[in-house]
């Protein structure tokens, strides 16, 4: 997809409050069923409960890789939507801290860009299920944001 088309797609998504076309550009985000919920100037990402994402059937709890993938893709989408990057950012590194079990229920994530330079952006991600004050995981990600 060209830069112009991607910028137009982002602008249209903001105007129509429909982010599904952007999510469809990223196959794993689409597979997970990630959704975007716009709350004023904030964006909250939602991972709907899905039995295919269970890693521990005894609890049942989400697979840690699914939680990490959800958080990484939330950060990538956040950069694409709000930082004026005309292409998909590329992950450099990702570090996650699991704080409690992610039970079989909807999971939410919110991102904060700590720094965006010309080449690299640093993003903090928090994931929770029942309340934002009880996160199930926090993560830090660095993305390459200059031209590929």
């Amino acid at each position: 997809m060209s830069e112009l088309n991607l910028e137009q797609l982002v602008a249209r998504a903001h105007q129509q409050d429909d982010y599904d076309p952007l999510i469809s550009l990223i196959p794993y985000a689409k597979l997970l069923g990630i959704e975007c919920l716009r709350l004023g100037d904030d964006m909250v990402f939602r991972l709907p409960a899905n039995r295919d994402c269970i890693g521990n059937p005894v609890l049942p709890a989400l697979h840690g890789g699914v939680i990490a993938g959800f958080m990484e893709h939330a950060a990538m989408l956040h950069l694409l939507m709000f930082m004026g990057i005309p292409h998909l950012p590329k992950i450099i590194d990702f570090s996650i801290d699991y704080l409690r079990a992610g039970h079989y229920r909807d999971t939410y994530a919110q991102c904060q860009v700590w720094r965006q330079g010309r080449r690299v952006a640093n993003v903090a991600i928090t994931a929770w299920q029942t309340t934002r004050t009880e996160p199930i995981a926090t993560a830090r990600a660095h993305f390459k944001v200059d031209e590929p």
Side-chain angles (χ1 to χ4, degrees), residues 48-119:
N50 181 345
R51 291 223 176 264
D52 292 337
C53 296
I54 292 176
N56 181 346
V58 175
L59 290 179
L62 297 176
H63 190 283
V66 170
I67 294 170
F70 166 57
M71 294 174 76
E72 177 185 327
H73 283 76
M76 182 187 312
L77 287 163
H78 182 86
L79 284 172
L80 181 64
M81 292 175 195
F82 293 107
M83 298 295 114
I85 299 167
H87 56 274
L88 290 174
K90 302 222 183 297
I91 189 77
I92 296 172
D93 71 358
F94 184 83
S95 177
I96 187 167
D97 295 315
Y98 296 100
L99 305 174
R100 53 182 53 88
H103 294 286
Y104 176 64
R105 61 178 71 124
D106 289 356
T107 305
Y108 301 90
Q110 193 164 22
C111 304
Q112 177 183 4
V113 177
W114 282 346
R115 181 177 184 277
Q116 181 184 351
R118 286 182 294 127
R119 295 185 178 145

Side-chain angles (χ1 to χ4, degrees), residues 16-65:
Q16 298 174 354
D17 199 26
D18 178 14
Y19 297 92
D20 289 341
L22 286 177
I23 293 169
S24 295
L25 293 176
I26 306 168
Y28 189 63
K30 186 177 177 181
L31 175 73
L32 288 178
I34 294 175
E35 300 172 356
C36 300
L37 310 167
R38 183 91 188 241
L39 305 171
D41 289 339
D42 292 333
M43 180 68 70
V44 174
F45 298 90
R46 178 176 170 256
L47 175 67
N50 181 345
R51 291 223 176 264
D52 292 337
C53 296
I54 292 176
N56 181 346
V58 175
L59 290 179
L62 297 176
H63 190 283

